[in-house]
């Protein structure tokens, strides 16, 4: 299947000392509505995950939730497995950034072997249809493996530390690649990147219906430039985990910095493992959907990168009349969003440093597509 995901273009105006301003051209969106119009719901559910190289399970879950709600046929028996597939995918996507991409940017050793191991074990667990006891044992062992590789210990005690300085002392003792990346950001490499863009509120049903459904209905450009009550928002791990004491303290101290975003991903790994371990769906699952009108529905799914939205409209024969997707990339890489605002004013002694700074922030915000950074002399 041809990849249709596009590329983000970021341009930096650098004056020899700092990035004076940044601009961003969003990617071209997949014209999913035109591709699916007149097709059956079953065809759409099969095709959509094939169109996206990343977050295929989340795309599949969102499509299923939206189509089921539009047809008035929810399938509760499939919900727990669907939720676990999305959570396991989010864990793997988070590890991809921590084990491969960020070490590459920071000049440290990557760990593709661990990522491959986690992927293999997750695939085997889902294929074997394990009973509840075996599933929970699998999740516990997976958590021990991940924690030992990232922090040099199979326990998660470091996550309970509410003091930033105490946390940093613990990471110094760990002396792993992940700990050293966090420490490098703590020493200044990533203690910047904040903007005036707000963190997305919790995406519960009431909030989604009040903030997103009306905007989507009235704004023809919503899918390209999404907004929450008219304002761009940052979505992702930091928005979901901001109540953690360490993150709350850092947000007060330096705002949504690269360091804060990175720590949010680390803290959310434990949240993902806890959700995977649960025997039933929580009150606010990661995969949700609701009917908006007859034959019209909206699904919202959390992913490693943030909030994914699917909106579908069926005609009277139950065929696709319209279909639209808003990925987390459209939130975090909005032309007036967190990436552009976070880059403006960043010190850079050279064009290469400006480019590397931009790349670090881009990775912290985590697009689901390729990107190109261009540095102009202002």
């Amino acid at each position: 299947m041809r990849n249709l995901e596009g590329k983000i273009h970021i341009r930096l105006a650098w004056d020899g000392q700092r990035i004076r301003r940044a601009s961003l051209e969003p990617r071209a969106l997949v014209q999913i509505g035109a591709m699916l119009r007149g097709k059956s719901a079953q065809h759409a559910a099969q095709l959509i995950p094939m169109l996206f190289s990343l977050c295929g399970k989340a795309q599949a879950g969102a499509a299923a939730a939206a189509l089921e709600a539009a047809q008035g046929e929810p399938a509760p028996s499939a919900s727990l497995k669907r939720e676990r597939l999305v959570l396991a995918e989010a864990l793997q996507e988070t590890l991809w950034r921590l084990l491969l991409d960020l070490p590459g940017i920071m000049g440290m050793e990557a760990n593709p072997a661990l990522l491959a191991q986690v992927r293999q074990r997750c695939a085997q667990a889902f294929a074997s249809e394990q009973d509840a006891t075996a599933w929970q044992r699998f999740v516990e062992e997976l958590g021990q493996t991940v924690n030992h590789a990232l922090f040099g210990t199979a326990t998660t005690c470091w996550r309970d530390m509410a003091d930033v300085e105490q946390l940093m002392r613990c990471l110094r003792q760990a002396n792993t690649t992940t700990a050293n990346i966090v420490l490098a950001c703590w020493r200044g490499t990533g203690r910047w990147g904040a903007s005036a863009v707000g963190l997305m509120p919790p995406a519960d049903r009431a909030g989604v219906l009040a903030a997103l459904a009306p905007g989507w209905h009235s704004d023809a450009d919503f899918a390209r430039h999404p907004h929450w009550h008219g304002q761009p928002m940052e979505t992702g791990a930091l928005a979901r985990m901001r109540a953690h004491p360490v993150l709350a303290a850092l947000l007060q101290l330096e705002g949504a910095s690269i360091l804060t975003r990175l720590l949010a991903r680390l803290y959310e790994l434990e949240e993902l493992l806890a959700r995977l371990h649960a025997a039933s769906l929580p009150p606010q699952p990661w995969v949700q959907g609701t009917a908006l009108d007859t034959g019209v529905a909206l699904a919202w799914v959390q992913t490693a990168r943030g909030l994914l939205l699917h909106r579908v409209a069926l005609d009277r024969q139950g065929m696709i009349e319209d279909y639209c997707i808003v990925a987390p990339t459209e939130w975090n890489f909005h032309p007036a969003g967190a990436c552009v605002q976070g880059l403006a004013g960043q010190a850079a002694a050279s064009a290469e440093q400006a480019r590397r700074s931009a790349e670090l922030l881009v990775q912290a915000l985590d697009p689901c597509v390729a990107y190109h950074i261009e540095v102009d002399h202002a």
Side-chain angles (χ1 to χ4, degrees), residues 33-155:
M35 295 173 62
L36 296 178
R37 192 167 294 118
K39 303 295 194 300
S40 68
Q42 182 180 9
H43 179 86
Q46 293 172 346
L47 178 64
I48 286 171
M50 299 171 62
L51 296 174
F52 301 93
S53 59
L54 296 177
C55 296
K57 298 295 189 297
Q59 296 285 359
L67 291 164
E68 288 167 4
Q71 295 172 310
E73 299 177 359
S77 61
S79 296
L80 181 58
K81 182 174 181 179
R82 183 184 301 161
E83 180 83 1
R84 285 175 172 174
L85 283 166
V86 170
L87 292 167
E89 181 177 68
L91 184 143
Q92 292 171 66
E93 293 292 332
T94 300
L95 289 175
W96 183 298
R97 288 293 183 256
L98 295 173
L99 298 173
L100 299 184
D101 294 332
L102 284 168
I105 293 173
M106 304 294 283
M108 299 182 187
E109 185 178 1
N111 190 351
L114 175 61
L115 181 61
Q117 179 185 356
V118 170
R119 285 182 160 183
Q120 181 181 31
R121 292 175 67 175
C122 286
Q124 291 171 343
F126 282 108
S128 64
E129 297 291 340
Q130 298 175 326
D131 62 27
T133 300
W135 172 263
Q136 291 177 351
R137 184 168 59 249
F138 153 71
V139 175
E140 290 167 2
E141 292 173 354
L142 181 64
Q144 291 172 1
T145 298
V146 169
N147 276 286
H148 188 273
L150 296 183
F151 309 106
T153 174
T155 67

Side-chain angles (χ1 to χ4, degrees), residues 28-358:
L29 296 182
V30 177
Q31 297 303 309
I32 193 75
M35 295 173 62
L36 296 178
R37 192 167 294 118
K39 303 295 194 300
S40 68
Q42 182 180 9
H43 179 86
Q46 293 172 346
L47 178 64
I48 286 171
M50 299 171 62
L51 296 174
F52 301 93
S53 59
L54 296 177
C55 296
K57 298 295 189 297
Q59 296 285 359
L67 291 164
E68 288 167 4
Q71 295 172 310
E73 299 177 359
S77 61
S79 296
L80 181 58
K81 182 174 181 179
R82 183 184 301 161
E83 180 83 1
R84 285 175 172 174
L85 283 166
V86 170
L87 292 167
E89 181 177 68
L91 184 143
Q92 292 171 66
E93 293 292 332
T94 300
L95 289 175
W96 183 298
R97 288 293 183 256
L98 295 173
L99 298 173
L100 299 184
D101 294 332
L102 284 168
I105 293 173
M106 304 294 283
M108 299 182 187
E109 185 178 1
N111 190 351
L114 175 61
L115 181 61
Q117 179 185 356
V118 170
R119 285 182 160 183
Q120 181 181 31
R121 292 175 67 175
C122 286
Q124 291 171 343
F126 282 108
S128 64
E129 297 291 340
Q130 298 175 326
D131 62 27
T133 300
W135 172 263
Q136 291 177 351
R137 184 168 59 249
F138 153 71
V139 175
E140 290 167 2
E141 292 173 354
L142 181 64
Q144 291 172 1
T145 298
V146 169
N147 276 286
H148 188 273
L150 296 183
F151 309 106
T153 174
T155 67
T156 58
C157 60
W158 71 274
R159 300 178 193 272
D160 299 323
M161 295 179 182
D163 179 83
V164 179
E165 293 286 353
Q166 185 183 18
L167 171 62
M168 294 305 160
R169 287 195 296 272
C170 177
L171 293 177
R172 290 188 193 99
Q173 294 173 358
N175 194 31
T176 62
T177 297
T178 300
N180 289 333
I181 288 173
V182 175
L183 291 170
C185 290
W186 172 252
R187 289 191 291 267
T189 302
R191 300 193 73 172
W192 61 275
S195 73
V197 174
L199 297 174
M200 183 177 285
D204 54 23
R205 186 177 186 275
V208 166
L209 292 179
L212 300 183
W216 207 329
H217 179 74
S218 61
D219 183 357
D221 202 32
F222 184 88
R224 185 170 170 82
H225 299 148
H227 49 83
W228 188 283
H229 287 307
Q231 299 298 317
M233 285 285 165
E234 178 176 337
T235 186
L238 181 56
R240 292 187 293 256
M241 299 297 296
R242 61 185 151 191
H244 188 282
V246 168
L247 300 178
L250 284 171
L251 284 169
Q252 286 288 328
L253 182 66
E254 58 193 52
S257 64
I258 293 170
L259 171 66
T260 312
R261 294 180 178 109
L262 173 57
L263 283 173
R265 287 193 198 178
L266 296 177
Y267 284 119
E268 191 168 64
L269 283 174
E270 181 67 12
E271 173 73 11
L272 290 168
L273 289 164
R275 284 176 174 263
L276 280 168
H277 193 272
S280 60
L281 286 171
Q284 292 296 332
W286 272 37
V287 182
Q288 298 187 64
T290 190
L292 301 177
D293 202 346
T294 303
V296 181
L298 176 65
W300 58 102
V301 176
Q302 295 291 350
T303 73
R305 295 168 176 85
L307 187 67
L308 169 68
L309 303 170
H310 281 217
R311 186 181 187 276
V312 61
L314 305 178
D315 62 21
R316 293 182 178 179
Q317 287 72 46
M319 310 301 279
I320 304 294
E321 183 175 75
D322 188 35
Y323 205 108
C324 191
I325 296 174
V326 179
T329 295
E330 274 59 67
W331 291 99
N332 289 337
F333 295 88
H334 189 289
C339 181
V340 168
Q341 289 198 27
L343 285 168
Q346 167 63 13
S350 66
E352 180 58 26
Q353 186 179 358
R355 187 189 310 277
R356 287 177 60 83
S357 294

